[in-house]
Amino acid sequence: MSIHQAFHKEMKDAFVLNRAGIETLFNDIVTRPDYFNIINHAATRQSLSEVVKKIEALGKRNNIFPPDPPLTLSVNYQGAKFDLETVFDLVGFIFSVTGGIAADATPANYYYPLVILYCRWCRTLAGDNAGKEPGMVQITWFTQGETKRVCLGGNLDKPKNVRKEAARIRRFDMLVSNGLALGSEKNTSYVDVGGQLIGHCAETFPVLFIQWLRDQLTLKEIRGVAVKPFKVLDDAVTDKFAVPDTDQKREELLADPCENCRKVIPRVGAGIDLNRFSVYNL
């Protein structure tokens, strides 16, 4: 089966890019936004330029989080402002604003390979911070008008510390301000006692983006899946772009929405179908 290109590159070629190659590509995207089908929205395109500069600045200092204020970068996504913090958030934004998705795109020939590419680039851009890429990433795909789009994001890696908790709270506050979480849920975990809190999850920015666009979307058609980077990038997985073909492999490499997400995602609207985010329906 043929896999569609991403960023006008064969997925297998994009997968092996080093940091310099990825940053060169990102700068090319900024220079030629129409060629890369960047969302045609002036403030979004301006944000893209700032995002790439921030990724380069973090790379020079080998940081995942900005080491000095400002700790977040305010970006515009089709008219809405969101605060991004980690290099993984920034890379997810680039994936989310780049278009050109083929009409016949499927999980097998595009969406799943794309999230694997995101996993790989997160690892590459983590630099010397070995093992610090997200423990979970998520891709959501949908159609806006007649245009196919994706949103990607990663969770906050472990172990939890003061900086990561502050980032989690900033994410949580965005969920609250967009009607996706309740202020009273700040320290509530629906996962288990002492489990991760709302705002930690990889679904955070994808769900914020689709919430902003919800009146332009057919909610029942939105789909997504979460992926475990440390599993899917392991050497034991020989064909990394292939959708896992057994339930056992899907359970090992992928993940359904956690109980926190099962509370948050439906708040986008009554049409959202959590079954379309299941590893068994990929």
Side-chain angles (χ1 to χ4, degrees), residues 214-252:
R214 68 188 184 279
D215 292 338
Q216 304 176 48
L217 312 179
T218 302
L219 299 186
K220 66 180 181 180
E221 295 179 358
I222 298 172
R223 297 181 64 184
V225 71
V227 172
K228 305 170 186 176
F230 290 99
K231 295 288 188 179
V232 298
L233 296 180
D234 191 271
D235 290 341
V237 181
T238 54
D239 187 354
K240 292 180 172 50
F241 292 141
V243 174
D245 57 3
T246 67
D247 286 352
Q248 180 179 353
K249 288 181 181 179
R250 292 186 181 207
E251 291 164 5
E252 178 184 356

Side-chain angles (χ1 to χ4, degrees), residues 116-171:
I116 298 302
L117 180 63
Y118 175 64
C119 291
R120 177 64 182 184
W121 284 4
C122 284
R123 174 169 292 183
T124 300
L125 294 172
D128 294 335
N129 297 285
K132 286 299 185 179
E133 69 259 39
M136 192 79 72
V137 304
Q138 203 267 356
I139 179 171
T140 296
W141 61 95
F142 54 90
T143 301
Q144 180 185 9
E146 296 184 1
T147 303
K148 293 181 180 293
R149 301 207 185 281
V150 296
C151 293
L152 291 94
N155 70 354
L156 295 168
D157 68 289
K158 295 180 179 180
K160 183 172 72 174
N161 60 26
V162 172
R163 179 62 184 280
K164 293 172 192 173
E165 176 61 6
R168 198 277 304 178
I169 291 173
R170 280 188 279 273
R171 287 177 166 206

Side-chain angles (χ1 to χ4, degrees), residues 163-180:
R163 179 62 184 280
K164 293 172 192 173
E165 176 61 6
R168 198 277 304 178
I169 291 173
R170 280 188 279 273
R171 287 177 166 206
F172 174 80
D173 288 343
M174 283 187 279
L175 292 169
V176 171
S177 64
N178 284 275
L180 294 167

Side-chain angles (χ1 to χ4, degrees), residues 138-142 151 203 206-207 210 218-227 250 254-258 261-262 264-266 268-269 271-282:
Q138 203 267 356
I139 179 171
T140 296
W141 61 95
F142 54 90
C151 293
E203 288 84 352
V207 77
I210 63 172
T218 302
L219 299 186
K220 66 180 181 180
E221 295 179 358
I222 298 172
R223 297 181 64 184
V225 71
V227 172
R250 292 186 181 207
L254 315 177
D256 283 345
C258 73
C261 292
R262 296 183 74 84
V264 171
I265 294 173
V268 173
I272 286 280
D273 182 359
L274 286 174
N275 288 324
R276 295 175 71 83
F277 293 80
S278 171
V279 302
Y280 305 112
N281 293 325
L282 183 63

